Structures are given as C-alpha cells and as structure tokens.
Amino acid sequence: MKAAILSAFGKPLEIGNVPDPGIGTGEVLVDVVAAPVLSYAGEVFSGARRYLLPTPVVPGCGAIGRVRAVGPDATRLQPGDWVFCDPTVRSRDGADTPDITLQGWSARGEGGEKLQRYFRDGAFAERIRVPTENAAAIGPIEAAEAGSWCAINTLLIAYGGLLAGGFRPGETLLVSGATGHFGAATVALGLAMGARRVLAPGRNAVVLDDLRARFGDRLVPVRLSSDEAADRRAMRDAAGGPIDCVQDFLPPSVPASVARTAIMTLRQGGRAVLMGGVGMLGGEDLALPYPWIMRNLVTVRGQWMYDAAAVPGLVGLIRGGLLDLRQWSVTAFPLADANAAVAYAAADAGPFKLTVLMP
C-alpha cells in the first residue's frame, strides 16, 4: 500500500510502498478516507517537539475511514462500516491507570513506548490497523463528508476536558484560550452541551468577533489587557452571574498569570480543568493562592486527552444536530502531496480550520 513515511526527524516525508498491515484478535483494518494534518505536524517531523516517535514510521494522528476487515472477536463492526480511528491507544492490562500511546504520533512514558512498538504506524497511508475498541462507529456518511468528520480529533480532546470538569447544562463556562484551535472547539462544545453562557476571553479581536458572529448572544467575548485585576473584573461582569467552570487551553507561550486570572473568576465550588501548555517553556508557576482554593471549595484538575467513553457521546452530539461540523472549513490534499499538506496546515492554522490527507 502507499504511505507517507518519516524516515528520520528533519527529513521530508517520503511517499512509497509499505507492506499491508495484518490483523489478528482484537484488531481492525480500516481503509483511510481522510486523515487530519495537525498544524504543528512540521514541528513534530523536524524533531523540534522531541516527541517519542521512533523512525522510520508512518505518522498521522487519527482518521476517518471504512472497515476493511475485523478480527475474530469483533461482534458488531462489519466491513464497510464508517469509523473514527481513535489515535489514543490504551493498554488493556491496566484498566485503572492504562499506559497510553498516540498511534503514529507520540507516547507517554515507558509503558506507552512499549505499546507503541506494536501500534506504531499512523494514518498517513491507504490503510491502518487499530485496536478493535479504537474503531468507533460513526454511522453512514458520504465520502465527501469524511474531511469534516476529522474535526472529531480536536473536539474529543475538548470534550474530554468538559466531561472531566463535570460540566452540566445551564452552567456558565469560561474558556481560557478561546481564540485558539482547541479553545474554539471548546466554545462550540460548551454551547452544544447546553451552556447558559460561554465566556471567550482573548486579545485577538478578529477571532473574538468571528466567535460572536458564529454563535450569537450566548457567546460573550471579553477583551483582555495586561492587568490581572481588571481582566478578572471584566470576565466576572461579562458572565452576568456565577462562573461554574473554567477550561484552560492556553499555549506554552502565554504567561501563567493569564491562566491564573481566568481560574480565579470561579464561584465558590467551581471547577477548573487544565489542558494547555502553560509553563512548558519555563517561566513563572501557576501560583494559585492556597487560602483561596481552600476557602472557596475550588477544584483544580489536569486532563490529558479523554476517556474512551467520550467517543460515543461526542458522536451523539453530532448526529443529534447539536454540534455542526459545517463550522469547520476543510482543505484536502492527496497522499502524494503530504509535505505540501504539512506546510499548509502550519501556514493556515486557526480556529475552525482543517487540513486533511485523503488517500
């Protein structure tokens, strides 16, 4: 089969032939119809991000495709079924604290690297082998819709955070980092899940105006300054009531003070979920005041990726018409133009934009 191969970090992807993956018990073979090209793929392939990804490898994180063959223990999936190939592969012998690898992308820790040795190659290919539980049925779609369905890759991460934070209909959600790729997806999800109001603080006026135009009055933009106290007041005033949940997707380039300002808008008993990159490039610590957390009964938790149970819930939001994938604009490239797709994804990064390979 044809695939895009990363032979070594710092080299362009090579388009060539690799053996068809075989499958056994607990595995599914999927014909890839569309695979997302993440905006920072070039940084991964150059080695700048130092991801745990052994080369040579067929990269690619997630896909939409059709089942080609199933293992002997599959009881519901059938050849021809449309599925989302969930890249978050979990070890099966550690139910409480599973090791995780992101197939075709990276791994977490020693156990994740061990898992990666088998589920190694990703979706930049005509076919991909995934664990049976990672072939999530999405129901019938038209082939032309497959690119839009690749938005699941981003949405699942945002949805996993909202589930971890116990977000409920009727609550007010503040999305810290709302003008970014994952933050904007969180805005869309919060509204789809029945938020009373979603606050979108940021400095990018163009993106804030776009969010308001897309989602209407329940989306409230808040222009940030460099004054923590003033920004906290502005967010609380815009909420028009208690702020129940803060989800943070701020990137590593943003100082911790921006995240702290948002979190400290929470009501008594509020929850904050940290999913961004603050502090990963050094700088000041988050430094939330101990007395404030304790006296206000605030919960602060981290969340990496999502639980497997998030997948059917997200598909249900889409199928129920609560979440409209047409919000995302899609630019598609053939597999032969994988390097051009990587460059385009970096240059055209932003909220509600998708670059995909269509083998």
Side-chain angles (χ1 to χ4, degrees):
M1 68 173 183
K2 293 286 187 184
I5 306 155
L6 180 66
S7 61
F9 288 116
K11 290 189 174 182
L13 296 171
E14 301 170 9
I15 310 303
N17 290 303
V18 298
D20 275 24
I23 62 165
T25 301
E27 297 169 356
V28 173
L29 186 63
V30 177
D31 289 325
V32 176
V33 179
V37 182
L38 305 188
S39 61
Y40 59 92
E43 298 174 27
V44 174
F45 302 159
S46 72
R49 293 219 171 196
R50 299 184 180 180
Y51 275 16
L52 295 174
L53 182 64
T55 58
V57 66
V58 176
C61 190
I64 300 295
R66 303 191 77 172
V67 172
R68 187 179 185 89
V70 299
D73 59 336
T75 61
R76 300 186 184 183
L77 285 175
Q78 300 290 329
D81 286 351
W82 283 95
V83 293
F84 164 62
C85 297
D86 182 357
T88 306
V89 179
R90 302 166 180 85
S91 59
R92 292 166 171 163
D93 53 355
D96 292 334
T97 56
D99 291 304
I100 291 178
T101 190
L102 298 182
Q103 187 173 358
W105 208 247
S106 187
R108 184 182 69 183
E110 183 179 348
E113 287 185 88
K114 184 177 180 180
L115 191 61
Q116 186 184 53
R117 292 172 200 156
Y118 186 73
F119 289 108
R120 174 172 175 157
D121 288 336
F124 286 8
E126 292 179 315
R127 285 175 283 283
I128 185 173
R129 175 184 62 198
V130 298
T132 303
E133 63 270 24
N134 285 59
I138 62 173
I141 65 172
E142 298 295 328
E145 299 176 287
S148 295
W149 275 84
C150 285
I152 289 182
N153 241 38
T154 300
L155 287 163
L156 266 174
I157 297 170
Y159 188 50
L162 292 173
L163 294 179
F167 181 71
R168 296 181 290 271
E171 291 190 324
T172 292
L173 170 69
L174 188 152
V175 182
S176 186
T179 57
H181 186 61
F182 289 104
T186 306
V187 167
L189 272 165
L191 293 167
M193 293 170 68
R196 181 181 74 87
R197 182 169 290 181
V198 174
L199 304 183
R203 291 181 172 83
N204 189 324
V206 173
V207 175
L208 292 176
D209 289 346
D210 178 69
L211 289 172
R212 184 59 180 264
R214 286 175 186 269
F215 297 114
D217 292 343
R218 287 166 60 215
L219 186 283
V220 183
V222 182
R223 289 291 300 274
L224 294 179
S225 66
S226 57
D227 184 322
E228 285 191 51
D231 286 342
R232 193 174 299 125
R233 284 195 301 271
M235 288 185 272
R236 284 175 171 161
D237 290 345
I243 297 173
D244 303 287
C245 186
V246 170
Q247 183 143 308
D248 181 276
F249 268 116
L250 290 170
S253 58
V254 174
S257 59
V258 181
R260 180 172 58 246
T261 300
I263 293 168
M264 291 188 68
T265 64
L266 282 167
R267 65 166 172 83
Q268 181 174 306
R271 298 94 63 201
V273 182
L274 309 183
M275 302 190 75
V278 168
M280 289 183 180
L281 298 179
E284 137 183 55
D285 188 21
L286 184 56
L288 289 169
Y290 186 115
W292 175 81
I293 296 173
M294 181 267 293
R295 290 171 181 163
N296 287 287
L297 315 178
V298 168
T299 298
V300 180
R301 66 165 289 173
Q303 178 68 26
W304 188 62
M305 303 305 287
Y306 45 87
D307 293 334
V311 180
L314 179 61
V315 172
L317 287 173
I318 296 168
R319 285 295 185 184
L322 297 169
L323 190 61
D324 188 358
L325 296 181
R326 291 174 297 182
Q327 293 279 359
W328 278 262
S329 62
V330 181
T331 303
F333 290 80
L335 185 61
D337 293 338
N339 288 299
V342 170
Y344 183 87
D348 195 52
F352 304 109
K353 293 181 178 181
L354 281 172
T355 302
V356 301
L357 285 181
M358 301 194 77

